[in-house]
Amino acid sequence: MTDPVTDRDLFDALASVNRKLRVLFDARVKETGLTLSRARVLFTLLRRDGLNQRELAEDLGIETPTIVRLLDGMESQDFVERRPEATDRRAKRIHLTNHGRRSAEEIEELARQIRVEVMEGIEPAEKKVALKVINKIVDNMLQRIGKE
């Protein structure tokens, strides 16, 4: 049975959590001297080093020209380096430098601290239920996207 008011309130709450988490993370990242955009690149490459520019842009949900400008700045500050692909020298793979890896690990620790803070007082069973609900919402959305 659908309850339109609860559905709306749940969607509003999910959107609010997303916005507030970004604001909190952005504020904490700025304390390290990074921007949120650069921190997201570092965070992504820490998990999947060696993505090409297109893959990285897709993972971050940004346009290719935006990622090029972002990487230009990060490369000049020795966070990342571009290496040509073996099969297509025009295409570039993005790799963390040692400096970039250290910074990414700091961002990872910062994210862990934020998770601990924002999950305070929530029982493990409650987290599991919330995760189950969110995963079901995502599954439902993916089914609708596939039908378009």
Side-chain angles (χ1 to χ4, degrees):
M1 182 90 167
T2 299
D3 176 359
V5 173
T6 302
D7 290 353
R8 183 194 65 226
D9 290 348
L10 178 58
F11 269 69
D12 289 349
L14 288 169
S16 177
V17 165
N18 187 44
R19 283 190 308 272
K20 289 175 181 163
L21 188 55
R22 280 180 169 266
V23 167
L24 175 60
F25 188 72
D26 186 38
R28 296 282 179 86
V29 164
K30 282 182 181 174
E31 292 173 7
T32 70
L34 287 170
T35 64
L36 179 59
S37 297
R38 289 182 179 193
R40 291 181 66 220
V41 169
L42 293 173
F43 202 62
T44 300
L45 291 174
L46 185 62
R47 288 176 165 71
R48 297 180 56 210
D49 199 31
L51 293 173
N52 66 36
Q53 290 181 173
R54 180 189 49 77
E55 293 166 333
L56 185 56
E58 286 175 8
D59 274 13
L60 297 171
I62 59 179
E63 299 294 322
T64 304
T66 303
I67 195 69
V68 169
R69 286 190 304 273
L70 187 56
L71 292 173
D72 286 345
M74 293 182 75
E75 192 170 34
S76 71
Q77 291 185 310
D78 193 38
F79 286 112
V80 298
E81 63 182 7
R82 293 174 172 120
R83 298 180 196 159
E85 286 202 33
T87 57
D88 181 357
R89 301 206 47 85
R90 293 171 298 168
K92 305 289 186 212
R93 294 247 169 227
I94 313 306
H95 294 272
L96 291 171
T97 62
N98 289 335
H99 172 63
R101 183 164 305 284
R102 284 190 304 274
S103 296
E105 288 167 353
E106 290 174 16
I107 298 302
E108 177 74 30
E109 175 57 21
L110 179 69
R112 187 197 65 75
Q113 291 171 0
I114 290 171
R115 285 191 299 271
V116 167
E117 291 171 19
V118 301
M119 298 301 252
E120 186 177 332
I122 303 172
E123 296 296 324
E126 294 172 312
K127 292 174 191 177
K128 287 180 181 177
V129 169
L131 186 58
K132 183 178 179 181
V133 170
I134 291 168
N135 284 335
K136 182 60 179 169
I137 291 169
V138 169
D139 288 346
N140 288 343
M141 287 190 293
L142 291 174
Q143 287 177 12
R144 280 18 175 226
I145 291 169
K147 291 180 180 179
E148 290 181 353

